[in-house]
Amino acid sequence: MTKLSVNLNKIALLRNSRETKVPSVVEAAKTAIAGGADGITVHPRPDQRHITPDDVFELAALLKKPTYQHIELNIEGNPEFSEQTNGYPGFIELVEKVKPNQCTLVPDSNEQLTSDHGWNFEKVTFDFRQLVERLKSQGIRTSGFMETDYHQIDLAKKMGLERIELYTGPYANSFGGDTQTETLNDLVSASEKSINLGLLVNAGHDLNQQNLPLFVQQVPEVSEVSIGHALICDSIYEGLEKTVKNYKSILLKHSKRR
């Protein structure tokens, strides 16, 4: 069954809108786990607009406790953010201090509101493969944020990545419209391509309770979906624990068994 990793960025964003400690990212993680979350995802950025390094350390400490050791921590971010500023130690430095279960490498910029494109490995200006091997040597599973381009997926395999995270934004944006079938078929084909190469497939971006059932029905062997914005928005009306249960129910009912 496809696992659910709950992205808590929006909890931190709400907290940061005031000089306060509420809502608590750690308490949100506990609530999400009580609702059935298989993992927790965070995407710390240098501007610390939402998740901060302190949040990352506190979540890591929580998930090392016996009660929560079965829950995976996934840290997303751009490995090129190496500058140490205002308490931000650099992305890879933070990852190596925490040693999460999974590190998802994302080619975002400080100017982006959210991640909106995958890697183009032909334009990477650092030794991506060496970085992947460095993380893997520390027991950190590696994933890369990818679009559905076959050539880039081939290169992802050559870079040594163990998984890719398929960018589902185009599918979500087209859901219910004329191009829905096309964007969904692109994801199906990209997933099949990845699996044939020996890459496991994660997915994320703008998945919600409306478009998730069809996605997991059609896209083969999705190991994990990472969902944040829609899930946190739904929780305003339904409560966080119940919302996580709703998403888990969708995955139990519709995702293909592995």
Side-chain angles (χ1 to χ4, degrees), residues 96-114:
E96 291 184 318
K97 286 180 180 179
V98 171
K99 291 184 172 55
N101 304 89
Q102 179 173 266
C103 176
T104 301
L105 302 172
V106 182
D108 61 346
S109 70
N110 274 328
E111 291 71 36
Q112 291 175 233
L113 284 175
T114 185

Side-chain angles (χ1 to χ4, degrees), residues 33-258:
I33 293 165
D38 303 292
I40 298 297
T41 291
V42 289
H43 190 145
R45 288 180 167 88
D47 61 12
Q48 300 183 62
R49 69 184 79 165
H50 36 59
I51 291 293
T52 67
D54 285 345
D55 292 327
V56 176
F57 291 127
E58 290 173 9
L59 286 169
L62 172 72
L63 299 184
K64 287 177 181 176
K65 294 180 178 180
T67 306
Y68 299 111
Q69 285 181 350
H70 63 293
I71 303 298
E72 289 199 342
L73 178 60
N74 173 43
I75 302 180
E76 301 178 338
N78 191 331
E80 294 188 279
F81 289 154
S82 58
E83 185 178 354
Q84 300 180 17
T85 57
N86 298 321
Y88 184 83
F91 178 72
I92 294 300
E93 288 76 7
L94 180 60
V95 168
E96 291 184 318
K97 286 180 180 179
V98 171
K99 291 184 172 55
N101 304 89
Q102 179 173 266
C103 176
T104 301
L105 302 172
V106 182
D108 61 346
S109 70
N110 274 328
E111 291 71 36
Q112 291 175 233
L113 284 175
T114 185
S115 306
D116 61 11
H117 64 277
W119 286 101
N120 181 342
F121 292 111
E122 292 168 327
K123 294 185 177 181
V124 169
T125 57
F126 63 96
D127 193 331
F128 196 101
R129 182 176 178 83
Q130 183 182 62
L131 173 62
V132 168
E133 293 305 318
R134 174 176 156 187
L135 294 175
K136 287 163 66 174
S137 72
Q138 299 174 71
I140 302 169
R141 186 171 69 236
T142 59
S143 179
F145 197 60
M146 304 293 299
E147 295 172 68
T148 57
D149 183 282
Y150 275 22
H151 177 57
Q152 294 301 323
I153 292 172
D154 279 328
L155 292 178
K157 176 65 175 179
K158 292 178 180 178
M159 294 295 173
L161 289 166
E162 296 162 278
R163 297 191 183 193
I164 64 166
E165 179 177 332
L166 284 173
Y167 172 47
T168 53
Y171 162 69
N173 291 333
S174 69
F175 187 74
D178 293 340
T179 60
Q180 173 189 297
T181 300
E182 178 184 352
T183 56
L184 183 59
N185 286 343
D186 286 345
L187 289 166
V188 170
S189 298
S191 182
E192 291 173 344
K193 166 77 171 176
S194 302
I195 292 163
N196 289 337
L197 289 173
L199 290 165
L200 294 183
V201 176
N202 298 340
H205 207 84
D206 290 335
L207 294 172
N208 58 36
Q209 293 188 60
Q210 289 70 49
N211 60 41
L212 183 60
L214 180 63
F215 175 79
V216 292
Q217 283 172 359
Q218 296 296 317
V219 181
E221 297 194 54
V222 177
S223 296
E224 172 187 294
V225 289
S226 176
I227 304 178
H229 180 80
L231 190 151
I232 299 303
C233 289
D234 291 344
S235 73
I236 294 172
Y237 307 102
E238 301 173 349
L240 181 55
E241 184 173 343
K242 183 177 186 298
T243 299
V244 173
K245 287 180 179 178
N246 290 344
Y247 278 85
K248 280 287 290 185
S249 177
I250 290 170
L251 295 175
L252 281 167
K253 181 177 180 179
H254 296 284
S255 65
K256 297 178 180 179
R257 301 284 175 176
R258 291 181 57 81

